[in-house]
Amino acid sequence: MVTLDGLAAGVKARFAVANPGSADFQTACPGGAWFARADEQAAAPYLVFTLDPDGDPQRQTDGSMLQKWTLQTGVYTDQGRSGHAPAAVQAAVNKCLPVTGWAALASGVVVHCLPRAPRGEFSPKARGGKDVFLSRGSWQLLVAGDSTP
């Protein structure tokens, strides 16, 4: 069964050095990618992402399961900091999240990752209330795995 922690680790791995497109991300976001909340010591800019289940899992007769998830990303930077182009930062994030071709998760696989319009529900105070949005994005993930707990 695909868990929230397992999926979060899989998403974070998409921004790691070994994945295609991650070199642009490492340059654009030297603070890295963080699940739910960034470390106080993270360099700016940095990415924070959240994952929310989108509906109930669909259990299949062969014992497998399909689950939709909503992935929200927000890139933050220090107030008053210049030199970062929001469009270039978002393009670097997009390169790390292809529609298909994700490596297997610990207990499943991302079947597709489709871009969606961002909801903009991130907190403006990700790191001590001093950071501001640089860019944000949203994707729908369809994840397949087995249905055993």
Side-chain angles (χ1 to χ4, degrees), residues 11 24 49 51 64 74 86 93 112 119 126 129 132 145:
V11 170
D24 290 345
F49 68 92
L51 290 160
S64 66
V93 171
H112 71 229
R119 291 190 308 233
V132 295

Side-chain angles (χ1 to χ4, degrees), residues 31 34 37-46 48 76-79 81 123-132:
W34 300 85
R37 187 171 180 90
D39 186 272
E40 287 288 327
Q41 304 302 316
Y46 59 92
V48 176
Y76 296 88
T77 192
D78 296 324
Q79 288 183 12
R81 190 173 197 171
S123 167
K125 49 186 187 282
R127 238 184 10 165
K130 61 185 180 204
D131 295 343
V132 295

Side-chain angles (χ1 to χ4, degrees), residues 124-139:
K125 49 186 187 282
R127 238 184 10 165
K130 61 185 180 204
D131 295 343
V132 295
F133 261 130
L134 191 59
S135 72
R136 64 180 163 219
S138 181
W139 291 262

Side-chain angles (χ1 to χ4, degrees), residues 4 51-57 67-70:
L4 176 61
L51 290 160
D52 295 302
D54 189 2
D56 293 327
Q67 173 72 53
K68 292 179 185 174
W69 293 82
T70 298

Side-chain angles (χ1 to χ4, degrees), residues 5-149:
D5 290 339
L7 184 55
V11 170
K12 189 166 181 162
R14 293 300 313 165
F15 299 103
V17 178
N19 280 315
S22 64
D24 290 345
F25 175 77
Q26 300 296 324
T27 301
C29 294
W34 300 85
F35 177 56
R37 187 171 180 90
D39 186 272
E40 287 288 327
Q41 304 302 316
Y46 59 92
L47 179 136
V48 176
F49 68 92
T50 61
L51 290 160
D52 295 302
D54 189 2
D56 293 327
Q58 300 171 6
R59 302 192 189 282
Q60 310 298 311
T61 57
D62 64 356
S64 66
M65 177 187 77
L66 292 172
Q67 173 72 53
K68 292 179 185 174
W69 293 82
T70 298
L71 166 64
Q72 295 275 329
T73 64
V75 177
Y76 296 88
T77 192
D78 296 324
Q79 288 183 12
R81 190 173 197 171
S82 62
H84 301 291
V89 170
Q90 189 60 48
V93 171
N94 293 346
K95 280 186 181 180
C96 293
L97 299 171
V99 173
T100 59
W102 288 45
L105 305 171
S107 59
V109 65
V110 174
V111 178
H112 71 229
C113 172
L114 301 175
R116 302 171 83 181
R119 291 190 308 233
E121 295 174 359
F122 274 88
S123 167
K125 49 186 187 282
R127 238 184 10 165
K130 61 185 180 204
D131 295 343
V132 295
F133 261 130
L134 191 59
S135 72
R136 64 180 163 219
S138 181
W139 291 262
Q140 182 185 65
L141 307 179
L142 179 61
V143 180
D146 63 37
S147 60
T148 58

